[in-house]
Each structure stands twice: as C-alpha cells, then as structure tokens.
Amino acid sequence: MSSSSASSSSSQSSSSSSSSSSHSSSRSSIPTPIDPLSDYQVIETFSKRMPSEFEPAAMIKMCYPNNMPLNAYKTIAEDNKVLLLVNPNPNGSSRIGSAKTALSNAGANLDHITFIDMPIDDDYGYWVRDFSPFYVFNDKDLSIVDFTYNRPARTEQNAVPSKLAEYFNIPYSKMGLTHTGGNLMQDGRGTAFSDNLVISENGINKNKVLRLMKQYTGTENYVITIDPQGDYIAHIDCWGKIVAPDKIIVARLPESNSRYSYYEQVAEELANTKCAYGYNYRIYRVDEPGGNVVAPYTNSLIANKHVYVPLGSNATYNNNALAVYREALPDYEVIGIEGFPSSNQCAFLNTDALHCRTHEVPDQNMLFIDSREVYHGTVDLKDNYVIKTNVVSYAKEEIEEVKIHYSINNGSYVEKSMKQYQETTNYTYVFSGLHHGDGVKYYIDASDTKANYSVDPTCGNLDPHHFVIA
C-alpha cells in the first residue's frame, strides 16, 4: 500500500510503549488511546428469522403435472435439488412413475429430483408459492409456520404445510392470519414486504397482521404498500422482487399506461425505505409494455446463485429484463425460462409465472452473515472505523474463519482476519489512519468447520460495501 493510502489495524492489536524510565514524565503527557470498541453494541440476530429467497436453498419445490414446460424442470434441476409434489390420479393412484418417465425423456437429472405424492386439489392448482408455508429459523432450528391460504376452498393445498413439516421432520405452527406466499417478500433481516391485500383479507386489522408476523416470523419491519397493478390477484411478486438485502427490482410501465403513476408511487416509497445496512434500498427498474403483452419479469426465482427469469412474448423486453437482473446481481447466473405457447392453459401470464409455481426450501445448515450499520456514502473523518458483523452457523458448527477483504482508493484487495468480539458471535475489524478523500471498499466472508460458506454483501467484490472519507 502506498504512503498516501491509509493503513489499517485490528483494535485487538497491542500498541507499542517506551522501555526507557528516563522519559516517564514525558510519557505521562501523552493521552491514553481511546479503545475503538469501548462503546461497542453487539449485533444480535433475531431469534426468529425468516430467511430470504437469495439465501442458500436445500431444494426447490415444484408441482407435477402441468406446472411448467418440461425444459423448465430440467433447467432448474441442473443446479438445484428439486422436491416434486406429484398430484395423484383422480382415483388416488400415484403418478410418480409417469413423472419420472416424462422428465427423464426431457433430459432432466433425476438424481437431483425427489418425487413425493402430494394431493393438490387440481392438476392446474400448481401455485406452490402461494400455498407453501413460511420457513422460519427459531433460534438455530428450521421450522414451518403455516397460515390460512387465501383460497380456503382448496382444502388439499391448505393441508400441504403440515404434511411438509412431517416430511422434513421439523416443528410446525399455525398463525391466525390469512395470507398467500405470492404476496410476501423478505430480506432475511427482519424486513418483509406485502401489498395491502394482507390487510383487507384480515378484517382491515393492520395491528393484528403486524403482531402475528412479528410473533411467528420475527418480522420487525413490515412494509405494506398499495397494489400498483390493480389486478384481482394483488400479489407483490407480480410487480416487485427483493434480490439482495439492499436491492429491489420494481416493474415500470410506459407513461401512457393508466397504472403508470401507481408503479411510480410504490417505487418511490421503496426507494425511501431503509434496508438493514442503514441506507435506502437501491431500486432497479424493469420495463414492461403493459396491455396484453406478457412480461412477468419480477415473477422470477432466485436459487443458489442462479436467477431464473420467466420470459414474455416480446424479445426486446425479454433481453432488457435479463440485463437488469445481471446489473443488479453481477455474480449470479441469469437464465431466461420460456413459458408454454399462449394456447396452452399453463402459459406464463403477467399474474402467474415462475415465482408463483416454485418455492425454495432453505438450507437448514446455512451460514449467515448479519452485517448492519455498515459504513456507506460519505462519512466524517475520525480516528477509527469499526467494521462489525454477526456470524450464525445454523449447522451449529464452530466458525472456522471470518475475513474482511478491502480495497483502499481502488487498490488491490487485501485480506485480513476479523477478530471475535469477547465471547459473542460478533467479529470486528478496525480501520485506522484513513485520510480525507480516501475511498474504502470491503466485503466479508466466513466459513465453518463443515465448509459452509457465506459472503456479505451478496455479490462480494463485484458490489462491495463502500464509503468515502469527507
């Protein structure tokens, strides 16, 4: 590092002292250095935490038959485990054999697919996003939180969550709330988003909704918006998508469209909402033509560093949508998924596409890096800058290493170990000696003794935390 760049040091490192007693009087005039951790506030990850879609997934739930084009099953199963809920024949006999044959003929990796019999009312009742339960970590154990699916006549679908709890052998609870999975996004850090359908379906009782979501899912900040689409479905995944702890994709219509102002209202509201890092969400816009043109771009699936984007009927809009995802998530593989021809009953629609027909099952052994209060933007000059994070091993393993990777003034990245703070699961690193105008970029990664790995922020060195000294 050049002399014009800042040096950095850990707060736990010892300072040097003079060995000459003849200078004791002069030493007494030197002020005692202030411990940068003297007023440290420990980050405590919520004991109830609903993981986000962009965290590691053990498998992706899908339905059969008629859920997707066969190529979609094949594509998703290439890099993910799939749990396929196979609807039995009307006479109750299993269709697993025919499902295996169909997917094998399509070239799907059957080793990545687990087939289970699961009645779901109707071959075309495949909206596994909507009737699946919420997955919630209760301390370090994954559990299922059920709700009353807002299609109460679909009794078999309403029964799926309890059957999944039995299948996975994890705790089950049910909250007294009417809800649907398509009307929920969450950041994994205590903030969730829905449109106001969740209020209207629960007797206009917002306090009840907030109380139960906090009690059962750990949601501390529940952002409830209008439904800009103005469609009967009123699902947030039809127009918005949280893709990282600080990034949300929001659809945008042409100004000539009658719903344009509603989309802009919601985009502005979300752009003025603070993310867990302490700054406002970064909003990315994906254009849709409106009208009858199919463009369901926010109805996408994120799974294990892959984004599967449902493609519509206009190639130009499709390519632009894929480019927006690649800009927002530069280290993800972004894959377009074509729907059925429009003549087919299962074609992708603007109100029903890929996200509606899939649901991730979180990895029970994930490693979670919980960074908050990060330095960002322009900050005042001071002696020390304490970088802190909390690392949680849901596998209940020992943390092997937590490292910070930083670059000062666009120099090469330097890698340093972070120090455990006392007996907590917090880890710290302290920058000292920064100067006016210095720019710092950094990201954190961690591993446990079972080789579980995580990085924060999501895209690491391709989109790190960053700040500039005023």
Side-chain angles (χ1 to χ4, degrees):
M1 187 179 302
S2 67
S3 59
S4 62
S5 299
S7 61
S8 62
S9 61
S10 168
S11 62
Q12 287 81 358
S13 61
S14 60
S15 59
S16 61
S17 61
S18 172
S19 60
S20 172
S21 59
S22 63
H23 297 289
S24 58
S25 59
S26 62
R27 287 204 310 272
S28 63
S29 65
I30 299 175
T32 302
I34 298 174
D35 179 2
L37 300 184
S38 60
D39 60 350
Y40 187 88
Q41 299 293 314
V42 175
I43 297 175
E44 294 183 356
T45 297
F46 302 123
S47 58
K48 286 187 184 293
R49 188 180 79 85
M50 192 172 180
S52 63
E53 184 179 330
F54 45 81
E55 294 180 54
M59 53 181 54
I60 306 302
K61 294 198 301 286
M62 301 169 71
C63 296
Y64 183 92
N66 297 325
N67 181 209
M68 299 266 210
L70 291 176
N71 186 60
Y73 293 104
K74 173 182 180 294
T75 300
I76 293 173
E78 285 176 0
D79 297 289
N80 303 278
K81 300 290 187 181
V82 170
L83 180 65
L84 198 63
L85 312 184
V86 181
N87 194 35
N89 283 303
N91 65 6
S93 60
S94 177
R95 286 173 166 165
I96 288 179
S98 59
K100 288 183 177 180
T101 299
L103 295 184
S104 176
N105 290 341
N109 184 351
L110 297 191
D111 290 339
H112 283 185
I113 304 175
T114 299
F115 300 78
I116 63 172
D117 289 306
M118 185 66 70
I120 53 171
D121 293 295
D122 187 319
D123 283 354
Y124 294 95
Y126 42 64
W127 300 286
V128 67
R129 174 68 51 180
D130 293 339
F131 61 75
S132 281
F134 300 152
Y135 294 90
V136 177
F137 281 112
N138 190 354
D139 290 323
K140 292 186 178 180
D141 296 316
L142 190 65
S143 66
I144 274 179
V145 173
D146 195 5
F147 50 86
T148 299
Y149 177 33
N150 68 352
R151 300 291 187 267
R154 298 173 185 169
T155 55
E156 290 181 339
Q157 293 176 9
N158 263 295
V160 168
S162 60
K163 293 179 179 179
L164 289 174
E166 183 178 352
Y167 176 80
F168 291 122
N169 191 28
I170 59 178
Y172 168 91
S173 61
K174 185 168 184 176
M175 59 179 171
L177 201 64
T178 298
H179 216 319
T180 178
N183 193 32
L184 185 77
M185 300 190 298
Q186 65 281 341
D187 72 345
R189 291 155 172 79
T191 295
F193 303 83
S194 294
D195 66 42
N196 50 24
L197 175 69
V198 71
I199 304 298
S200 63
E201 290 188 329
N202 286 280
I204 322 297
N205 191 336
K206 184 175 181 178
N207 288 336
K208 172 187 175 183
V209 172
L210 298 178
R211 174 176 55 83
L212 290 176
M213 285 295 288
K214 181 176 181 178
Q215 177 184 348
Y216 282 89
T217 72
T219 299
E220 295 282 341
N221 181 32
Y222 201 177
V223 180
I224 299 174
T225 74
I226 64 167
D227 168 35
Q229 195 171 39
D231 201 283
Y232 80 97
I233 195 72
H235 286 188
I236 199 167
D237 62 4
C238 294
W239 56 264
K241 180 80 173 183
I242 185 164
V243 298
D246 61 342
K247 301 176 184 178
I248 302 176
I249 294 177
V250 180
R252 178 170 54 202
L253 296 177
E255 290 187 36
S256 58
N257 191 285
S258 63
R259 304 301 300 183
Y260 169 80
S261 62
Y262 298 100
Y263 279 74
E264 297 312 294
Q265 177 183 334
V266 168
E268 182 178 3
E269 178 183 351
L270 296 180
N272 288 307
T273 300
K274 288 195 180 301
C275 73
Y277 294 143
Y279 52 83
N280 291 349
Y281 279 96
R282 299 155 63 186
I283 305 301
Y284 296 77
R285 306 301 300 273
V286 58
D287 287 315
E288 298 181 357
N292 295 323
V293 179
V294 179
Y297 304 123
T298 61
N299 205 268
S300 59
L301 170 69
I302 300 177
N304 298 319
K305 289 291 186 177
H306 293 73
V307 187
Y308 303 94
V309 182
L311 300 181
S313 53
N314 184 294
T316 299
Y317 280 93
N318 288 345
N319 291 332
N320 290 342
L322 295 175
V324 171
Y325 276 94
R326 290 180 178 123
E327 178 187 1
L329 299 171
D331 71 336
Y332 281 60
E333 184 176 356
V334 178
I335 302 168
I337 300 288
E338 294 185 359
F340 279 112
S342 58
S343 60
N344 190 290
Q345 185 174 348
C346 293
F348 288 156
L349 306 172
N350 288 329
T351 55
D352 172 22
L354 194 59
H355 193 253
C356 298
R357 307 180 193 187
T358 58
H359 199 295
E360 66 286 349
V361 178
D363 181 358
Q364 298 185 55
N365 296 313
M366 71 169 66
L367 191 64
F368 177 58
I369 299 178
D370 190 359
S371 295
R372 298 185 224 158
E373 305 171 30
V374 304
Y375 292 103
H376 60 275
T378 301
V379 302
D380 292 335
L381 178 66
K382 58 182 182 178
D383 291 336
N384 300 292
Y385 299 84
V386 179
I387 307 298
K388 61 182 185 178
T389 195
N390 193 39
V391 182
V392 180
S393 172
Y394 288 103
K396 303 174 185 176
E397 297 290 338
E398 294 294 324
I399 304 301
E400 185 171 60
E401 190 169 22
V402 180
K403 295 179 293 184
I404 185 170
H405 307 255
Y406 66 84
S407 165
I408 298 179
N409 297 328
N410 293 318
S412 300
Y413 271 92
V414 176
E415 177 185 300
K416 296 286 185 179
S417 293
M418 298 182 75
K419 303 291 185 180
Q420 184 177 5
Y421 178 71
Q422 298 181 1
E423 299 301 317
T424 71
T425 53
N426 278 211
Y427 289 79
T428 66
Y429 189 82
V430 178
F431 288 108
S432 62
L434 292 171
H435 304 109
H436 290 293
D438 281 340
V440 181
K441 299 177 182 178
Y442 73 94
Y443 65 95
I444 296 166
D445 62 11
S447 58
D448 66 19
T449 52
K450 290 294 185 182
N452 294 302
Y453 174 83
S454 186
V455 63
D456 178 82
T458 308
C459 296
N461 69 314
L462 295 181
D463 191 13
H465 298 302
H466 57 277
F467 62 97
V468 177
I469 309 301

